[in-house]
């Protein structure tokens, strides 16, 4: 059967329809679609009609979903008709956790993530520095020393001699540590005598000298002396990110720790008709007053650009030993990590959360370690008991290591788990020696979340990890680590089905931004955001998902790739 909107109502809007009725033309021929896609294998993510062959689009929204014959009725003289060649079509991917302009900037920065050795890491920095303007900061990079043998953190001594003319502050891939050269340390005024800031670590060697590595809040000591990107650099990075999103089939992003200056670039691109991804921005909770004073609440704006969320940090990362756990790390038995700066003092955190709740803002809190997650659930529960239950959809970003008792609390508080499955197949390579098997069994615990009725939203944390949704689907369904050592899955009982994974990446992410009525499935009335894939991800072995790629991407019925 065909599922279609009452055609004139959708096309013209109710007010216009009433006007037409008054003129006695309500029975005029219905308008034709702008776009029809036929001969597709559509997985709609709509339980009432999960499979379909064709769809029609009018004014940026889906107007009909059904068989080729049913949808052909919408064809008019100016309708574009696309034959999908029997390929699989899905709702566009909605990445619930990205750092969009950083991602764009990373595309043209020094590429360190796949450097397989310390020598290669140093060589790539040398080659990049040879072409950089003197004095220009060398940034990003996303190095990952766990891919080296031995897997030891790099030091400023490694890079000083190849970067004589440039300050360097390159990111570890997890975004929780940076490595700086001696020149950058000097510019930031950091010496062996500088104390660790609250919530951060200035890494030192056995003699107490700085190594150049800085973790979490200590990175701010350097970040604050790095000049802000110019408007031109910012726009170039965002345009690169838009291009990347279109290529990968990502039609919506939820941008964490948004810089206000990025917002003005998005607004400008929107005015120019160049905003080819829908974006929901979550600025830092430290600036809660900015949004609270506006009184606009969560998810405010247009389908293309919205604000009303806040990003908070509860702790750091496992890779940097700054995730906050109940028990110590096995490889650093003196430490169980630490709470982030946003949590200190805890009473200020509580006040910020209550302020956010009073104005209807949505809170998205990064929490990795089990103790960090528990602490956030405590705080969210306090807000609920003070202000009463309502549809808050507050989130925990990453929700990486769960205490066994907290799955139930997650569900009871209706907290959304905003998770990044690609990281399971990446971190699974090295995680167990740090926390042991027992804790690892509740790591990236997607299946246990679903079993407890917790809503999942999928994302990538780009540029911390790959932006490619195909790798996320592959990671969630196989849990096959990138080193090939767990072909049948690392913690295989936490694998989920491809249907569950697609749901989390579309409807799940849409729900996580209060947009489940607007997008997330292929249904009449919803925004016409969808993607055509090279293979049918629903009917190939999970191991083969990795080889699938995006053929075409549409946002609001416009083909953007
Ligand atoms: Zn992030």
């Amino acid at each position: 059967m065909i599922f279609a909107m009452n055609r004139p109502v959708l096309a013209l809007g109710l007010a216009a329809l009433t006007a037409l009725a008054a003129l006695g033309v309500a029975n005029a021929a219905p308008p034709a679609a702008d776009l029809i896609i036929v001969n597709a294998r559509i997985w709609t993510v709509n339980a009432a009609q999960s499979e379909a062959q064709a769809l029609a689009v009018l004014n940026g929204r889906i107007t009909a979903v059904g068989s080729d014959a049913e949808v052909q009725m919408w064809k008019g003289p100016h309708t574009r008709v696309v034959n999908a060649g029997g390929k699989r079509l899905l709702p566009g991917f909605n990445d619930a956790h990205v750092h969009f302009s950083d991602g764009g900037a990373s595309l043209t920065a020094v590429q360190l993530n796949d450097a397989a050795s310390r020598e290669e890491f140093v060589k790539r920095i040398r080659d990049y520095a040879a072409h950089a303007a003197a004095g220009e900061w060398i940034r990003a990079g996303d190095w990952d020393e766990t891919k080296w043998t031995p897997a030891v953190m790099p030091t400023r001594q490694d890079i000083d001699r190849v970067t004589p003319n440039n300050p360097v502050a390159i990111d570890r891939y997890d975004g929780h540590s940076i490595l700086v050269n001696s020149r950058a340390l000097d510019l930031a005024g950091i010496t062996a005598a500088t104390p660790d800031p609250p919530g951060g670590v200035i890494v030192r060697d056995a003699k107490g000298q700085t190594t150049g590595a800085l973790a979490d809040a200590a990175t701010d000591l350097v970040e604050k002396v790095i000049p802000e990107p110019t408007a031109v650099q910012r726009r170039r990075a965002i345009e690169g990110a838009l291009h990347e999103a279109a290529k990968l089939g990502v039609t919506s992003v939820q941008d964490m720790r948004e810089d206000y200056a990025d917002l003005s670039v998005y607004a400008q691109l929107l005015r120019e008709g160049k905003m080819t991804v829908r974006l929901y921005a979550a600025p830092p909770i430290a600036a809660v007053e900015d949004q609270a004073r506006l009184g606009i609440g969560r998810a405010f704006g247009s389908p293309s650009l919205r604000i009303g969320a806040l990003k908070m940090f509860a702790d750091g990362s496992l890779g940097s030993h700054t995730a906050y756990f109940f028990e110590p790390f096995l490889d650093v038995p003196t430490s169980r990590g630490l709470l982030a700066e946003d949590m200190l003092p805890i009473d200020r955190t509580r006040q910020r959360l209550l302020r956010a709740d009073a104005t209807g803002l949505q809170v998205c809190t990064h929490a990795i370690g089990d103790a960090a997650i528990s602490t956030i659930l405590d705080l969210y529960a306090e807000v609920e008991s003070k202000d009463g239950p309502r549809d808050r959809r507050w989130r925990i970003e990453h929700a990486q290591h769960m205490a066994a008792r907290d799955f139930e609390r997650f569900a009871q508080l209706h907290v959304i788990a905003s998770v990044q499955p690609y990281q399971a197949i990446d971190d699974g390579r090295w995680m167990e020696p740090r926390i042991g098997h027992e804790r690892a069994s509740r790591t990236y615990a997607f299946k246990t979340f679903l079993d407890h009725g917790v809503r999942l939203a999928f994302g990538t944390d780009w540029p911390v990890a790959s932006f490619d949704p195909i790798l996320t689907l592959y990671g969630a369904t196989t849990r096959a680590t990138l080193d090939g050592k767990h072909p049948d899955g690392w913690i295989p009982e936490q694998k989920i089905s491809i249907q569950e994974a697609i749901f989390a990446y579309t409807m799940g992410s849409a729900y996580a931004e209060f947009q489940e009525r607007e997008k997330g499935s292929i249904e009449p009335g919803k925004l016409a955001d969808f993607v055509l894939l090279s293979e049918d991800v629903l009917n190939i072995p999970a191991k083969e998902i990795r080889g699938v790629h995006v053929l075409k991407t549409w946002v609001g019925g416009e083909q953007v790739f």
Side-chain angles (χ1 to χ4, degrees):
M1 105 177 245
I2 188 168
F3 282 66
M5 295 287 289
N6 179 326
R7 293 162 61 177
V9 172
L10 182 77
L12 304 173
L14 206 49
L17 181 67
T18 311
L20 283 177
L23 293 169
V25 293
N27 293 327
D34 299 320
L35 169 71
I36 285 176
I37 296 188
V38 295
N39 189 24
R41 301 184 74 179
I42 304 176
W43 180 252
T44 64
V45 194
N46 168 19
Q49 181 200 20
S50 35
E51 295 267 5
Q53 211 177 7
L55 61 80
V57 175
L58 182 59
N59 294 333
R61 293 200 181 242
I62 297 164
T63 56
V65 181
S67 68
D68 282 354
E70 289 163 333
V71 170
Q72 285 288 357
M73 295 168 32
W74 286 80
K75 187 164 174 250
H78 305 294
T79 302
R80 273 173 292 136
V81 178
V82 173
N83 186 322
K87 300 286 186 192
R88 179 56 83 183
L89 187 140
L90 300 177
F93 296 107
N94 181 338
D95 193 316
H97 186 124
V98 295
H99 305 273
F100 201 61
S101 67
D102 289 347
S106 76
L107 297 171
T108 52
V110 58
Q111 303 295 315
L112 301 172
N113 192 264
D114 59 348
S117 65
R118 181 197 295 245
E119 293 67 40
E120 176 69 16
F121 163 85
V122 172
K123 178 184 176 299
R124 290 191 191 183
I125 294 170
R126 185 189 65 212
D127 293 350
Y128 189 88
H131 297 101
E136 180 192 316
W137 281 79
I138 297 177
R139 305 295 322 275
D142 301 316
W143 97 83
D144 180 1
E145 83 288 347
T146 68
K147 291 171 180 162
W148 310 343
T149 317
V152 288
M153 288 283 261
T155 66
R156 62 189 163 95
Q157 287 82 4
D158 292 332
I159 56 172
D160 274 348
R161 70 195 156 77
V162 298
T163 53
N165 302 318
N166 301 82
V168 177
I170 46 176
D171 298 328
R172 189 173 188 272
Y173 77 102
D174 66 356
H176 287 271
S177 291
I178 61 173
L179 178 72
V180 303
N181 64 0
S182 299
R183 185 169 170 155
L185 279 182
D186 289 347
L187 288 169
I190 300 171
T191 66
T194 308
D196 286 347
V201 181
I202 299 169
V203 180
R204 295 156 216 265
D205 63 20
K207 293 182 188 141
Q209 296 302 312
T210 55
T211 69
L214 305 168
D216 286 291
T219 63
D220 298 344
L221 302 173
V222 171
E223 304 279 355
K224 71 181 184 214
V225 302
I226 301 174
E228 285 288 306
T230 64
V232 170
Q233 286 168 330
R234 223 176 256 282
R235 177 158 173 146
R236 198 180 304 141
I238 288 169
E239 284 175 338
L242 288 170
H243 180 76
E244 194 73 0
K247 192 171 90 183
L248 295 173
V250 178
T251 56
S252 289
V253 293
Q254 300 175 41
D255 198 6
M256 298 290 131
R257 213 180 176 183
E258 188 47 55
D259 194 314
Y260 289 151
D262 286 350
L263 273 177
S264 69
V265 178
Y266 299 141
Q268 180 65 36
L269 287 165
L270 189 57
R271 282 191 290 273
E272 295 170 17
K274 294 178 181 158
M275 196 64 186
T276 52
V277 77
R278 304 185 194 280
L279 188 140
Y280 184 33
I285 196 162
V288 58
E289 273 314 311
D290 293 350
Q291 293 193 81
R293 223 178 283 128
L294 295 172
I296 52 168
R298 75 225 177 174
F300 176 85
S302 77
S304 294
L305 182 58
R306 285 171 299 101
I307 57 174
L310 295 162
K311 173 76 184 298
M312 186 165 92
F313 278 91
D315 65 348
S317 79
L318 182 62
S320 298
H321 290 100
T322 49
Y324 183 51
F325 280 91
F326 287 114
E327 302 293 331
F329 301 108
L330 298 186
D331 59 336
V332 185
T334 53
S335 169
R336 60 188 189 97
L338 68 168
L339 285 172
E341 210 181 359
D342 273 352
M343 301 289 282
L344 309 168
I346 199 94
D347 199 54
R348 186 186 63 180
T349 311
R350 190 175 285 119
Q351 294 315 318
R352 283 175 175 173
L353 291 175
L354 287 166
R355 181 72 175 126
D357 196 48
T359 41
L361 292 162
Q362 186 184 19
V363 176
C364 312
T365 306
H366 163 117
I368 301 258
D370 51 16
I373 294 168
S374 252
T375 306
I376 294 304
L377 291 174
D378 291 345
L379 287 164
Y380 284 6
E382 254 183 75
V383 169
E384 183 174 280
S385 68
K386 281 214 171 78
D387 291 353
R390 60 184 164 81
D391 188 12
R392 294 186 170 78
R393 304 193 196 179
W394 282 12
R395 307 166 31 161
I396 291 186
E397 304 300 316
H398 315 305
Q400 199 167 300
H401 306 278
M402 290 287 293
R405 65 189 170 86
D406 278 337
F407 289 103
E408 198 60 50
R409 290 213 296 157
F410 233 99
Q412 278 164 4
L413 290 163
H414 305 288
V415 174
I416 291 165
S418 169
V419 296
Q420 298 79 34
Y422 173 78
Q423 295 185 20
I425 58 173
D426 197 353
D427 299 358
R429 292 177 293 123
W430 51 262
M431 187 178 280
E432 285 200 41
R434 296 195 183 198
I435 58 169
H437 185 73
E438 202 271 331
R439 275 187 287 186
S441 69
R442 294 184 305 275
T443 288
Y444 300 116
F446 313 133
K447 183 68 165 66
T448 311
F449 275 125
L450 290 179
D451 289 346
H452 282 81
V454 173
R455 286 176 186 271
L456 296 180
F458 271 6
T460 60
D461 209 2
W462 185 53
V464 172
S466 166
F467 193 26
D468 187 350
I470 296 299
L471 290 177
T472 291
L473 296 179
Y474 171 78
T477 53
T478 66
R479 294 180 75 98
T481 52
L482 298 174
D483 57 9
K485 290 190 180 151
H486 300 84
D488 297 316
W490 173 66
I491 323 288
E493 58 276 16
Q494 296 293 349
K495 287 185 212 173
I496 61 173
S497 72
I498 183 68
Q499 289 86 352
E500 289 166 333
I502 292 170
F503 186 93
Y505 226 141
T506 53
M507 280 303 283
S509 296
Y511 183 85
E513 55 159 341
F514 292 92
Q515 297 300 301
E516 74 278 9
R517 292 206 184 96
E518 289 286 278
K519 58 191 177 190
S521 62
I522 305 220
E523 287 183 65
K526 285 201 169 176
L527 295 164
D529 303 347
F530 37 82
V531 54
L532 193 68
L533 301 180
S534 63
E535 309 290 334
D536 183 0
V537 284
L538 287 134
N539 288 301
I540 56 175
K543 282 177 187 175
E544 291 173 19
I545 292 173
R546 200 175 177 174
V548 175
H549 59 274
V550 167
L551 297 173
K552 292 185 165 92
T553 307
W554 288 266
V555 176
E558 294 296 326
Q559 192 176 332
V560 296
F561 175 72

